Amino acid sequence: QVQLAESGGALVQAGGSLRLSCVASGRTFSRHAMGWYRQAPGKDREFVAVMSWDGRRKYYGDSVEGRFTISRGDGNNTLYLQMNNLQPEDTAVYYCAADQHPYGVATPRTKFNFWGQGTQVTVST
């Protein structure tokens, strides 16, 4: 059974940093696009970042461009999201996602098949 487990969410002050992690189990995603989404209370799920299997393509949402960085760990079954200069509007549940198709195109419109349960990020003023 495929599982994606996010961690690293916390309460942080504005201007601070956090690093989210996502560990995949049940199969390998070394040849698959992976990404991050978030959802704030009362809002639709929002694209945050996506990364191709080989790391050559990375895309970010407009609101996080220049502040967030997506990366993979060794072995490629771990995904990270480094978040710097966090702002209150970044408060949301952050979800990790993975594509079931190997070598799929990684874009902001990638349809991910596997999702984690989410980790809460709260940014205070």
Side-chain angles (χ1 to χ4, degrees):
Q1 181 179 359
V2 174
Q3 288 189 330
L4 301 178
E6 303 95 337
S7 62
L11 171 63
V12 63
Q13 288 189 330
S17 297
L18 283 175
R19 188 194 197 200
L20 303 185
S21 300
C22 170
V23 178
S25 60
R27 64 177 288 179
T28 180
F29 289 102
S30 60
R31 296 291 183 263
H32 303 72
M34 297 185 73
W36 291 95
Y37 276 75
R38 67 186 183 186
Q39 188 166 19
K43 294 188 177 182
D44 292 335
R45 187 170 61 190
E46 177 188 12
F47 166 75
V48 175
V50 65
M51 180 174 179
S52 61
W53 68 275
D54 58 1
R56 293 183 178 182
R57 294 186 178 184
K58 298 180 182 180
Y59 296 96
Y60 297 92
D62 291 341
S63 60
V64 307
E65 179 85 56
R67 299 187 297 124
F68 290 11
T69 303
I70 188 172
S71 63
R72 288 184 185 251
D74 293 340
N76 282 299
N77 254 33
T78 303
L79 186 71
Y80 300 105
L81 185 68
Q82 177 67 42
M83 306 185 296
N84 297 329
N85 190 23
L86 284 161
Q87 300 300 315
E89 52 266 33
D90 295 316
T91 295
V93 177
Y94 284 71
Y95 298 92
C96 171
D99 185 7
Q100 70 171 349
H101 304 290
Y103 308 110
V105 177
T107 76
R109 286 182 289 278
T110 295
K111 300 296 184 183
F112 291 107
N113 308 99
F114 302 106
W115 294 84
Q117 294 299 307
T119 185
Q120 176 70 48
V121 172
T122 303
V123 185
S124 64
T125 56

